[in-house]
Amino acid sequence: MTELTYDAEHEIILITSSELPHDEDFELWATLFLHAPAITTADFDAGADRHQLRFHFTDHSFNLNFEHYSESIWINAEGIEASAALPQLHQYLVAQLQ
């Protein structure tokens, strides 16, 4: 089960999953998680302890982040206009999970 929480104070969408992806499987997990008509995936960047998949929603850019050591997954916006679209993205993703 996956739960999404919009955190307005930190301007992120926190993703809590009962089963986290393995470090080497995050790109596939992220691609499947974001597989939705209104989302276009872009660049993937893999680091030693943090991975990031950049994507677009409503003409705004966002990042899906995974930090291996803290076992954290979250989405952040790129820019002020994208930050304003975070609640809409949250609602869209919640609807996609149902």
Side-chain angles (χ1 to χ4, degrees):
M1 185 172 141
T2 302
E3 183 180 318
L4 304 176
T5 307
Y6 173 60
D7 181 339
E9 180 182 351
H10 297 104
E11 295 186 331
I12 63 166
I13 298 171
L14 183 62
I15 301 167
T16 307
S17 182
S18 57
E19 188 154 334
L20 292 172
H22 292 282
D23 191 43
E24 63 275 0
D25 298 330
F26 180 71
E27 183 175 13
L28 175 60
W29 183 93
T31 301
L32 293 173
F33 177 78
L34 293 173
H35 184 74
I39 294 176
T40 306
T41 57
D43 309 320
F44 178 74
D45 184 33
D49 62 345
R50 186 172 172 185
H51 302 321
Q52 184 178 75
L53 178 65
R54 188 168 184 244
F55 67 96
H56 305 284
F57 173 74
T58 63
D59 295 325
H60 297 16
S61 296
F62 299 89
N63 299 306
L64 175 60
N65 303 280
F66 173 59
E67 189 175 77
H68 176 71
Y69 294 113
S70 66
E71 296 183 337
S72 302
I73 303 174
W74 71 97
I75 294 172
N76 68 287
E78 289 186 4
I80 295 170
E81 291 178 7
S83 292
L86 266 174
Q88 181 184 359
L89 174 61
H90 174 253
Q91 291 175 346
Y92 180 75
L93 290 172
V94 167
Q96 293 299 308
L97 288 175
Q98 294 178 347

